Amino acid sequence: RILQHFNTTAEDYTVIFTSGCTAALKLVAEAFPWIPEGTKETSSRFCFLTDSHTSVVGMRGITALMNVLSVPIKPKELLLSEENKIPAEEQNCTTPHLFSYPAQSNFSGTKYPLSWIQDIKSGKLCPVKIPGKWFVLLDAASYVSSSPLDLGVHQADFIPISFYKIFGFPTGLGALLVNNRIAPLLRKTYFGGGTAAAYLAGEDFYFPRKSIAERFEDGTVSFLDIIALKHGFDVLEKLTGGMEKIKQHTFALAHYTYNVLSTLKYANGAPVVRIYSDTDFSNPDVQGPIINFNVLDENGEVIGFSQVDKMASLYNIHVRTGCFCNTGACQMHLGISNEDIQRNLQAGHVCGDDIDLLDGRPTGSVRISFGYMSSFEDAQTFLKFIIATRLSKSDTEILVQSSVTKLTTESVPDDLPSFSNADKLCPLPHILDRELKHNLSARKMTVNWQPPEAEAESIRAAVSETAVPTCRRGSKPITVTNIYLYPIKSCSAFEVTEWPVGNQGLLYDRNWMVVNQNGVCITQKQEPRLCLVNPSIDLKQNIMVIEAEGMDPISVSLEENTGKETVICESKVCSHRVKTYDCGERIAGWFSTFLGHPCHLIRQSSDTRNKSHQKNTKGLASAANISLSLVNEAQYLLINVASILQLKEHVSARLEVPLEIEELIQRFRANIVISAPESFEEEEWAEISIGSLRLQVVGPCSRCQIICIDQQSGERNKEFLQSLSAARGRKTNFGIYLMNQPLHSSFPDVLSVGSEVIPVLKENTEIQPPTSNEE
C-alpha cells in the first residue's frame, strides 16, 4: 500500500521500516558503499544541498569516520553545475557518490526540481567535478505531507519519509524506500535480531537474510503502528480524493495568506512582515504550503520570534519558531554568517531556545504550514491575529480603503481548488470586502492595539529599555512595599509583612505543586481556576491552610513526611527534574473536587532538593550551583511600583476602563514589590542589598499569557500581554529575577516590608542612599 501511494511497485522499490526519517538517513550513511580517501580508486563524495535538514547534514559525521569527503552545495551552485561535466575518457569510473537534496525545503517551502534526480544520475548536472557514478537521496519528509510523489517517473535511489508528517499518526515510525537497483550494493555491518539467516557466536561467521527489508530492519519493528498505515492511506484518500487535491488545497491557502500578508503595511508605508521565500507563491509546482517570515515594527526592526509565539498562543494559534533544524536555509535567508552562528553560541544561544534577537538581529524566524485538514477559516484566523496585534486604527483604515479589494479579489486563483469531500471540488471562498471591514471595525471598538504615533513615541520614551536610570544622592530611597509567597505553584499569593528567608528564597515559596494523573505539573495556563485556591502558612501552628470558595478549608502539615513509607518520585518543572512526594489522598480529593478532574498535590523533598533542582547561573559570585524550589527560573521575582504605574496608564487607556494597581501587581505574581523613583530602572541593576541579604540580578522576566488571567476571578483577557508588548517596544519583559548570593548573605534571615533596597548598577557603581536629613 505504501508503494502504491508513491505510484511504484515492489519490483522497483523496497520499503525498510525505521523509527523515523532521521533513522532512515542514518541508515543510508552507514550502508552506502563508500570508497574512502587514500585508496588507488577515486574516492567517494557525499554532497548535500545547504538548504537541508539537520539530519541530512549530520550524515557527514558518519562519512567523516569513513574518510569520505563531504561537500555542501548551495542551490545556485547546482544550477551552474553543468560546467562540471566529466570528460568522456573518465566516464567509465564506477566510484559511487551520493547527492542529497530536499524535494521541499522545510524552512521556506521551496520545491526543488524533481528533474534533478535524472539530471544528476545521467551526468547532465554534476555537484562536483569528479569521475564516478552518482546516486540521489531525495529527502521527501516535508514534500510528501502535501504533494504527490511519483516514483515511477522520478526514480531516486533513496527516499526517507516520516508517516506522522503525512497523517499526524503514528509518531516514531518512518521508512526508507530503496531503489532495488542499488539495494544489493548496500553494506551491512551491525546485525540485530531478525536480520541474520545464520551466524555463529564462536566464530566470525554471519550470513544475512536475502530480503533487503529483513536484512536492515534490526530488532522488532513497530508492527502495530505499521498495521495502522493502510487505514491511514485509505482514510486520507477517502477524505480528500488524493494527494493532488491536497496539493492544490494547501497551496491555495498558502497563496491567499501570502498575498494578504505581503500587502499589510503600517500607516507610514512600512511592511508588517518580512517573508523569506524564493518564489512569489504563484505556482504549486515550485512552492509548498509553508510561509516563513518575521514580524517587523513600523521602523522596520524585527520583533523577536518568541514574542510573536507568545502573542499567537493568546489566539490559540500554534507556530514554529527558530531555524527549524535547517541552519543552512536560515543563514541564507536571514543573512547570518558562520561567524555570527559561533558568536551567538558564545553568547548563550542554542538551537531551540527563546533567544530571538542578539544585537538587534534575529536568530531565527516564524513559520506557518498548511495541511490537508487546514481550512480557509484557519488562514483568516491567522491573518486577523496579525492585523489585531500589529495594526493601529489608522493603519487599519488605510488597509481597508486601499488594499482589501485587491486582496480579496486576486488572492486565490480561480483554477486552484479546495476540497470538501473526495469526489467534489469547491472553489476556496474569498473573504468579502464587507466581511473584513466588519471584522476590522469591530476590532477597533474593542482592541486599540497600537497607540497613535505621538502617544506611542511618548510611551517608548518613558518605557525605554535602554535608558540608564539616574538615581543620585538626594533622590527618594527605594523600599520594599509588598512581599508575596506562593506556597503552591500557580495558586494564589500569600501576602506577608515580614518572612523568613532560606537558601532557596522565601521560606515555603513554591514548595508544593498540583499535578495531573501522569505527574505533570498543572499551571494556570491549563487551569486558570488555580488562582482561586488560597494557601496560607501558619508558622505557629506549623500548617498550611488551603481555602477556596465553596470548599471546606483543609490543612497540610509543614512537617515533611520523611517516614520509610514515603515514596520519592521524580517530577519535572520546565526542564528541571525535581524529587517530590505525594501529599496523600485526602488533599488529592480536595483538589480533584474543586478542579473537576483527578489531580494530586505533591511537595518537593528536602532530602534531595539540593541535588535535584539546581541552576548554575552565570555570573553569580558563588561557584556552587544555586538551589531552587519548584520555581521556573530563579528564587525571587521583583517588580517596581513605578513600572506598574507606567503600564497601568497604557492598559487603562486601551481597555477604556480604570484599573486598580493592586490588580496589576497580582497579575505579575512577584515575590518582592518595591517603590523606586523611576520606572524600569530595576532593569539596569546588577545586584541589590536588602538588610543583610545580597541578591544578584540574573535577568529580566519574559512574560507569558498568565498575566492575562485575572487573579481574583480566573478570567482571561489577552489585552494585557498585548499592551505590555506594545508598551515595552517589541518585548514582553517585566520584572527581574534574583538569586541569593550565599557567600554574602546570612541564613536564616527575615525580609520585611519597609526595608531599604540598595541597588548596584550594571556598571558596578553603587547608588548612594540619601542621608538622614534629605527627603
Side-chain angles (χ1 to χ4, degrees), residues 154-230:
H154 307 291
Q155 296 192 343
D157 298 291
F158 305 99
I159 305 97
I161 59 173
S162 178
F163 292 110
Y164 91 89
K165 287 184 172 66
I166 302 174
F167 312 124
F169 174 88
T171 58
L173 181 64
L176 177 66
L177 277 58
V178 181
N179 193 309
N180 289 337
R181 284 176 290 186
I182 190 177
L185 302 179
L186 299 181
R187 300 168 180 171
K188 190 69 163 32
T189 51
Y190 172 82
F191 59 95
T195 65
Y199 75 96
L200 291 174
E203 295 182 20
D204 187 12
F205 172 76
Y206 159 74
F207 194 83
R209 286 188 177 272
K210 185 177 181 180
S211 163
I212 294 296
E214 290 179 329
R215 188 183 304 177
F216 283 95
E217 290 172 352
D218 292 304
T220 304
V221 295
S222 186
F223 56 87
L224 293 178
D225 287 336
I226 291 171
I227 292 172
L229 293 180
K230 179 184 183 300

Side-chain angles (χ1 to χ4, degrees), residues 77-86 123-126:
E77 293 174 345
L78 189 66
L79 295 174
L80 301 174
S81 66
E82 290 187 18
E83 302 173 1
N84 295 332
K85 282 188 177 180
I86 304 301
K124 182 179 178 182
L125 292 178
C126 225

Side-chain angles (χ1 to χ4, degrees), residues 441-463:
S441 61
R443 185 193 64 77
K444 286 186 288 183
M445 295 174 60
T446 58
V447 181
N448 181 20
W449 163 238
Q450 202 74 344
E453 195 59 33
E455 181 189 348
E457 289 304 318
S458 65
I459 290 171
R460 291 192 185 90
V463 193

Side-chain angles (χ1 to χ4, degrees), residues 410-679:
E410 298 182 7
S411 301
V412 184
D414 293 333
D415 58 345
L416 291 182
S418 172
F419 53 78
S420 57
N421 54 49
D423 58 356
K424 179 182 176 182
L425 288 176
C426 62
L428 188 68
H430 296 278
I431 180 169
L432 297 178
D433 184 30
R434 62 177 182 273
E435 276 187 63
L436 188 54
K437 283 185 178 180
H438 172 74
N439 290 331
L440 294 174
S441 61
R443 185 193 64 77
K444 286 186 288 183
M445 295 174 60
T446 58
V447 181
N448 181 20
W449 163 238
Q450 202 74 344
E453 195 59 33
E455 181 189 348
E457 289 304 318
S458 65
I459 290 171
R460 291 192 185 90
V463 193
S464 169
E465 291 190 295
T466 58
V468 178
T470 56
C471 188
R472 302 182 180 87
R473 181 185 295 275
S475 62
K476 292 182 180 180
I478 303 171
T479 58
V480 175
T481 61
N482 305 82
I483 301 170
Y484 300 96
L485 61 148
Y486 305 83
I488 304 175
K489 184 177 177 68
S490 248
C491 289
S492 180
F494 174 48
E495 185 173 9
V496 295
T497 54
E498 62 177 24
W499 198 255
V501 173
N503 67 338
Q504 286 191 315
L506 295 172
L507 192 62
Y508 300 120
D509 182 45
R510 295 176 176 90
N511 268 202
W512 293 262
M513 67 180 178
V514 182
V515 298
N516 63 18
Q517 288 179 300
N518 297 320
V520 177
C521 177
I522 302 173
T523 71
Q524 288 186 28
K525 288 182 182 179
Q526 301 88 31
E527 186 54 80
R529 296 186 73 240
L530 280 174
C531 70
L532 306 179
V533 176
N534 301 293
S536 58
I537 302 290
D538 189 327
L539 294 176
K540 292 183 179 179
Q541 296 190 48
N542 206 31
I543 59 172
M544 174 175 66
V545 179
I546 306 172
E547 299 175 281
E549 186 175 348
M551 301 289 293
D552 292 330
I554 192 169
S555 63
V556 178
S557 173
L558 298 182
E559 292 288 339
E560 290 201 47
N561 189 349
T562 56
K564 293 182 179 178
E565 71 283 358
T566 303
V567 178
I568 304 296
C569 300
E570 192 172 77
S571 304
K572 287 186 72 175
V573 177
C574 289
S575 59
H576 311 295
R577 294 195 176 275
V578 292
K579 300 294 183 180
T580 60
Y581 64 87
D582 197 297
C583 294
E585 292 301 320
R586 182 177 67 94
I587 192 71
W590 191 95
F591 273 97
S592 299
T593 300
F594 179 73
L595 295 177
H597 53 81
C599 52
H600 287 259
L601 184 70
I602 62 174
R603 185 179 186 182
Q604 187 177 20
S605 173
S606 63
D607 292 338
T608 55
R609 68 172 55 161
N610 288 339
K611 297 178 182 179
S612 63
H613 193 188
Q614 295 177 329
K615 189 177 184 74
N616 192 357
T617 305
K618 184 178 179 181
L620 283 179
S622 171
N625 284 346
I626 302 299
S627 180
L628 298 179
S629 60
L630 300 178
V631 295
N632 290 354
E633 295 290 340
Q635 295 166 336
Y636 308 88
L637 176 57
L638 177 147
I639 61 174
N640 179 4
V641 172
S643 306
I644 288 281
L645 288 171
Q646 178 68 62
L647 187 66
K648 174 177 174 287
E649 295 179 10
H650 185 49
V651 178
S652 296
R654 288 170 56 101
L655 292 178
E656 299 180 353
V657 294
L659 288 174
E660 297 295 330
I661 190 170
E662 289 77 13
E663 178 189 344
L664 284 176
I665 289 175
Q666 290 171 1
R667 285 178 182 268
F668 287 105
R669 297 179 62 82
N671 296 111
I672 304 171
V673 183
I674 62 163
S675 179
E678 302 290 334
S679 60

